[in-house]
Amino acid sequence: MDEEKLPSDGDIGSVMGFSGFGKKARTFDLEAIFEQTRRTAIERSQRVLEDQQKGAQVEEEGESSKSVKTSVPSQRDKAAARNQQSGTSSSDSSDSDSELVGPPVPLQHGAQEDELVGPPLPSGYRDNTANSDDDDDDDSEADTKDEDDDDDNPVKKIPDTHEIILQHGTKTVSALGLDPSGARLVTGGYDYDVRFWDFAGMDQALQAFRTLQPCECHQIKSLQYSITGDVLLVVSGNAQAKVLDRDGFNVMECIKGDQYIVDMANTKGHTAMLNCGCWHPKIKEEFMTCSNDGTVRTWDVNSEKKHKSVFKPRSQQGKKVVPTCCTYSRDGKLVAAGCQDGTIQIWDRNMSVHTKFHCRQAHTPGSDTSCLCFSYDGITLASRGGDDTLKIWDIRNFRKPVNEANRLTNYFSMTDCCFSPDDRLVVTGTSVKKEEGNGKLVFFDRASFQKVYEIEVTNASVVRCLWHPKLNQIMVGTGNGLAKVYYDPVKSHRGAKLCVVKSKRKEKHAETLTQDYIITPHALPMFREARQRSTRKQLEKDRLDPKKSHKPEPPVSGPGRGGRVAAHGGTLSSFIVKNIALDKTDDSNPREAILRHAKEASENPYWIAPAYEQTQPEPLFAEESEEDEEADKEPEWKKRKI
């Protein structure tokens, strides 16, 4: 019975998946096996490469790839069948001692065309190389198409996902400046203040590290760093521009001209209020200013006694015109000025007599052109007018604007416009009256000049805007004293990203109470001070000590005690009372205290009575009659009636 239940060797082999159960196992030469495996892998890889080359040749000849792919596996199937037959025959004749122990070798290695060495393919895999290649190509083409769409759409490059707010003050921020590296921002406003902001040194408190008034009681009109970033140009409401270093110290001040000279070219400097100013884009020592005296002057930082050159805008009748804004071209060869009569006049920098380009009716006469800005390619000029327009000009054909946008309210004489770093967008701000809406930052496509995007900044006018090309961040100055910085964590670099990640520093009020510790290693033990183990603990102890913390004396309540008077003035009597240390502890009735001395004063007069003793008559009092007493007893209303 037991022998019938035991399975045979053949059944065990079929169940376990191998034959030769219970036979001897021979030793293996591992190095030979590895070498054979390596050669087999090389042969298969070469075979796959040859098949791919053949397929490419067939495609070039115009034959269909399907016929090639079906013919090649058919030959492979024949070879696999032969191998299978030989494998079965060898398995049948596996009674010898040389048979290997283990599962049979898979026989369909050559069945697939492009099979490589590696782990088995997952279930459900379709061996459709042509389709997979096509799908990969389609996916890659779709990805590249999406990237091209992102590149073609300039709106997606606007960094407006995040913002930080810098509180300059309560009045209009009329000037913004950012150094070329993007490390420091400077703001100026109608409150005469200039504030310096260091992005790398700020934390989340967003506090300026320096505030100063370089021009006393004059509004700040323009701020700009030089191309090297080592000096700052400050243009205010007076006639003299100033140049400060990075820390706010004075470097030079332009000289003031003689206002009694008629020809402004013969004066050494401006004679009226300044309107605008900017640095030369190539020469780090040269800058330019324009003024209400009707001139545009260039200056050198090293020679503050006189200007370098003078440009005099003229109207069509040859009369003096006031320039309200000025700028250099990107290469620094042209000087442009927008004037109060609505004209835009452009000179060659080296020829200050005649204009090179002149547009008579650029904007409405009498409106202040608030900003001129050249594009990065140097061909296009953007002008922001006081007539609520934004216009684009081609300086090669300067008679008519290329494009124009209307209904852009402008209440300020320094409202900015600028180009995006890729030169595909034009940006400007809009003005609003108090509590009548929000000021907006408007983006226009340069080619079509359609409004493609806008940002509602705040409930006040947007005056200044600046798009830094290196940081890819937008700085905005508003009419309610705010300076906002818009950035994108992915598209922007450094700048505002440096300060938002820093936590606020904890204020230590007890730092000023610390006494300097003098180290005297060779002092005698009696004069040696105890070493401070912990500064924090020592600060807490000093805070509790009234002498070290200079605790003020508490106010006195009551009449005073111990030489201190509760409410003493500057009179002599208060001084005497304070120094005598008079202690007033009498809490009795003051009338009784005075009448206590009445009897003694009448019997023994000392002050007043002896002086009038000879001349003072004796007082005689009349005796009251009964009628008078009754009259006194009558009510008051009867007396009035009588």
Side-chain angles (χ1 to χ4, degrees), residues 481-552:
L482 301 180
K484 285 194 173 185
V485 181
Y486 291 93
Y487 68 97
D488 190 298
V490 179
K491 303 171 186 175
S492 302
H493 309 283
R494 298 177 63 83
K497 294 171 62 178
L498 299 177
C499 58
V500 295
V501 297
K502 295 181 181 179
S503 59
K504 293 183 180 180
R505 299 172 184 172
K506 295 182 179 179
E507 298 180 358
K508 297 182 180 179
H509 298 286
E511 284 183 354
T512 56
L513 304 176
T514 310
Q515 295 181 355
D516 295 333
Y517 176 66
I518 301 173
I519 300 173
T520 54
H522 303 292
L524 296 174
M526 59 179 5
F527 301 110
R528 193 174 299 166
E529 295 182 4
R531 185 175 181 181
Q532 296 181 353
R533 294 183 180 179
S534 176
T535 308
R536 190 164 192 174
K537 292 182 179 179
Q538 187 64 30
L539 292 176
E540 292 175 357
K541 290 181 180 179
D542 293 345
R543 186 66 180 172
L544 298 175
D545 190 355
K547 290 185 178 180
K548 289 186 178 180
S549 61
H550 301 284
K551 181 180 178 182

Side-chain angles (χ1 to χ4, degrees), residues 264-276:
M264 289 290 104
N266 295 328
T267 60
K268 298 180 180 180
H270 289 293
T271 61
M273 180 183 72
L274 299 177
N275 291 322
C276 188

Side-chain angles (χ1 to χ4, degrees), residues 46 114 129 303 343 347 390-391 499 534 583-584 607 637:
Q46 290 178 353
D114 295 337
T129 55
S303 60
T343 61
W347 298 267
L390 174 66
K391 297 183 179 181
C499 58
S534 176
D583 187 7
K584 295 183 177 180
W607 295 105
W637 62 274

Side-chain angles (χ1 to χ4, degrees), residues 335-355:
V335 173
C339 305
Q340 277 186 344
D341 62 345
T343 61
I344 298 178
Q345 304 182 25
I346 303 177
W347 298 267
D348 191 333
R349 175 177 164 271
N350 299 321
M351 298 177 63
S352 60
V353 180
H354 299 290
T355 57

Side-chain angles (χ1 to χ4, degrees), residues 49-282:
L49 292 174
E50 290 176 359
D51 293 340
Q52 290 179 355
Q53 291 177 358
K54 288 180 181 179
Q57 291 177 359
V58 170
E59 287 179 358
E60 291 178 358
E61 292 174 359
E63 296 180 3
S64 63
S65 60
K66 292 183 180 179
S67 62
V68 176
K69 290 180 181 179
T70 53
S71 62
V72 173
S74 63
Q75 297 175 2
R76 297 282 177 83
D77 292 338
K78 292 177 182 179
R82 292 194 203 102
N83 293 333
Q84 188 175 4
Q85 292 175 2
S86 62
T88 53
S89 62
S90 63
S91 63
D92 294 337
S93 62
S94 60
D95 296 334
S96 63
D97 296 337
S98 62
E99 187 173 1
L100 300 178
V101 177
V105 179
L107 303 177
Q108 57 269 27
H109 276 297
Q112 294 183 1
E113 176 190 3
D114 295 337
E115 185 179 2
L116 299 177
V117 177
L121 297 174
S123 59
Y125 175 76
R126 293 183 305 168
D127 187 16
N128 192 356
T129 55
N131 294 337
S132 63
D133 293 338
D134 295 340
D135 294 340
D136 293 340
D137 295 339
D138 295 340
D139 294 340
S140 61
E141 288 177 0
D143 295 339
T144 54
K145 189 175 182 181
D146 293 339
E147 292 177 358
D148 294 340
D149 292 341
D150 293 343
D151 295 339
D152 293 339
N153 190 1
V155 179
K156 294 184 178 180
K157 297 182 179 180
I158 299 175
D160 66 330
T161 58
H162 295 69
E163 67 175 23
I164 62 172
I165 300 175
L166 307 177
Q167 185 69 45
H168 173 85
T170 57
K171 297 186 178 180
T172 301
V173 177
S174 56
L176 279 178
L178 195 63
D179 65 343
S181 63
R184 285 191 177 180
L185 174 69
V186 59
T187 59
Y190 281 3
D191 54 358
Y192 324 129
D193 287 342
V194 174
R195 294 179 183 264
F196 293 81
W197 314 80
D198 190 359
F199 289 120
M202 282 193 303
D203 54 10
Q204 290 182 1
L206 303 178
Q207 297 294 325
F209 74 91
R210 181 163 290 117
T211 302
L212 49 92
Q213 291 186 356
C215 302
E216 296 178 351
C217 297
H218 293 282
Q219 295 177 351
I220 306 300
K221 295 293 187 72
S222 177
L223 294 170
Q224 188 179 11
Y225 278 97
S226 63
I227 55 172
T228 56
D230 55 347
V231 286
L232 173 70
L233 174 64
V234 181
V235 176
S236 63
N238 61 358
Q240 297 171 275
K242 282 189 176 183
V243 178
L244 310 178
D245 63 2
R246 286 181 63 86
D247 296 323
F249 297 102
N250 195 11
V251 175
M252 72 157 288
E253 184 177 11
C254 299
I255 193 171
K256 188 175 182 180
D258 189 353
Q259 57 186 353
Y260 296 102
I261 296 178
V262 177
D263 190 1
M264 289 290 104
N266 295 328
T267 60
K268 298 180 180 180
H270 289 293
T271 61
M273 180 183 72
L274 299 177
N275 291 322
C276 188
C278 61
W279 286 95
H280 194 281
K282 302 294 183 182

